[in-house]
Amino acid sequence: MVGFRRGRIEVKSRDQLAAMRAAGLVVARALAVVAAAVSPGITTARLDALAADVIGDHGALPSFLGYHGFPATICVSVNDEIVHGIPGPRVIRAGDLVSIDCGAIVDGWHGDAAVSVLVGAAPELQLLSQVTEASLWAGIRAAEAGSRIGDIGAAVEATIVAAAAEHRQPFDIVDGYTGHGIGTAMHMAPDVPNFGEPGRGPKLAVGMAIAIEPMVTLGSADTRVLADDWTVVSTAGSPAAHWEHTVAVTSVGPWVLTAEDGGGLLRGDPLA
Ligand code: MG
Ligand code: MG
């Protein structure tokens, strides 16, 4: 059974969602800069510095720096590292699959998103990343007022299961790590699992915001945490992809706050 984090789900006013959109756009721009810089020879510390520059240039604050002692602006997780990798002297090499997770704060409101970037052209890793991103968007499309958290997890899960069957690849959803509510803090109620049952879990209402973040491996999704107390790796050494967006539930559909174009799913003005 999926356990849902208990507690009241924060509901934002239009003005508060507008502030979250500002934070989301800072995250989108930081991730765009970092993703474009991912190439053979660059260090993960350099990627971190690029993100810090973008966030600072916008007058925003990084969500991650100092979070439970996390020492950097972004997480950079390479190959069998799934999430929470710490930037440092590691040099990116051809063939690496690099997941970048970034959060920023504007006027006290958080945005949180992640992308995976493949260096080179390994077809099975390309497919892993594409399938993971597709599962994120399936989850986002389920984030409608009146839907339930289980509808999102079910949509993510169905996408991965179908892709594994279609492509005959051992895609596996990482257990033990979930998306989350977001707003005045980065991690809030409710948990947003990457699997679930339709119609189960907390109900979504206009003004709620959640981060949806599928983590998928090519192989086994069993995990362990490295001695740095942060980096989550696949125990079997399977490569992993991670995609994430912060999404607001509005009366006109899901508003993807961390997508430059808002996600393209809105049926009207979410702030009208
Ligand atoms: Mg994140
Ligand atoms: Mg997150």
Side-chain angles (χ1 to χ4, degrees):
M1 281 299 294
V2 174
F4 294 101
R5 190 180 316 207
R6 295 187 183 278
R8 183 184 152 272
I9 301 175
E10 189 174 79
V11 174
K12 288 76 164 168
S13 69
R14 284 175 204 162
D15 285 352
Q16 290 169 339
L17 283 186
M20 284 192 71
R21 173 58 166 162
L25 283 174
V26 173
V27 172
R29 285 161 193 167
L31 283 175
V33 167
V34 174
V38 172
S39 56
I42 197 165
T43 65
T44 57
R46 178 71 190 134
L47 298 176
D48 191 67
L50 291 171
D53 284 348
V54 174
I55 291 170
D57 287 348
H58 284 82
L61 295 169
S63 298
F64 297 179
L65 184 66
Y67 180 83
H68 293 285
F70 189 77
T73 294
I74 56 174
C75 299
V76 184
S77 307
V78 183
N79 297 334
D80 62 333
E81 298 173 352
I82 300 168
V83 286
H84 305 167
I86 300 174
R90 182 173 186 158
V91 176
I92 298 300
R93 303 192 183 286
D96 283 347
L97 178 56
V98 184
S99 296
I100 301 143
D101 196 343
C102 182
I105 311 168
V106 172
D107 294 335
W109 295 93
H110 289 253
D112 184 11
V115 299
S116 292
V117 181
L118 179 61
V119 185
E124 73 281 5
L125 297 183
Q126 194 85 53
L127 189 60
L128 170 66
S129 182
Q130 285 170 353
V131 160
T132 307
E133 185 182 14
S135 75
L136 166 61
W137 284 94
I140 290 170
R141 283 191 294 274
E144 293 278 356
S147 296
R148 290 181 181 273
I149 290 295
D151 296 317
I152 293 172
V156 171
E157 181 180 11
T159 302
I160 298 303
V161 169
E166 179 188 351
H167 301 288
R168 297 183 190 175
Q169 294 285 336
F171 299 130
D172 202 1
I173 297 169
V174 172
D175 201 1
Y177 295 87
T178 70
H180 47 91
I182 182 169
T184 52
M186 181 165 60
H187 292 141
M188 310 181 80
D191 285 345
V192 182
N194 293 312
F195 49 87
E197 294 175 50
R200 301 293 295 269
K203 190 182 262 190
L204 295 172
V206 170
M208 291 178 180
I210 53 175
I212 305 172
E213 49 178 313
M215 292 149 262
V216 180
T217 61
L218 186 68
S220 167
D222 292 339
T223 64
R224 67 186 176 91
V225 177
L226 295 185
D228 63 17
D229 281 337
W230 281 105
T231 312
V232 179
V233 301
S234 159
T235 308
S238 307
H242 178 212
W243 284 84
E244 177 180 25
H245 272 305
T246 294
V247 184
V249 178
T250 82
S251 61
V252 290
W255 186 14
V256 185
L257 301 175
T258 46
E260 188 81 39
D261 68 352
L265 298 170
L266 292 169
R267 300 177 292 270
D269 181 355
L271 298 177

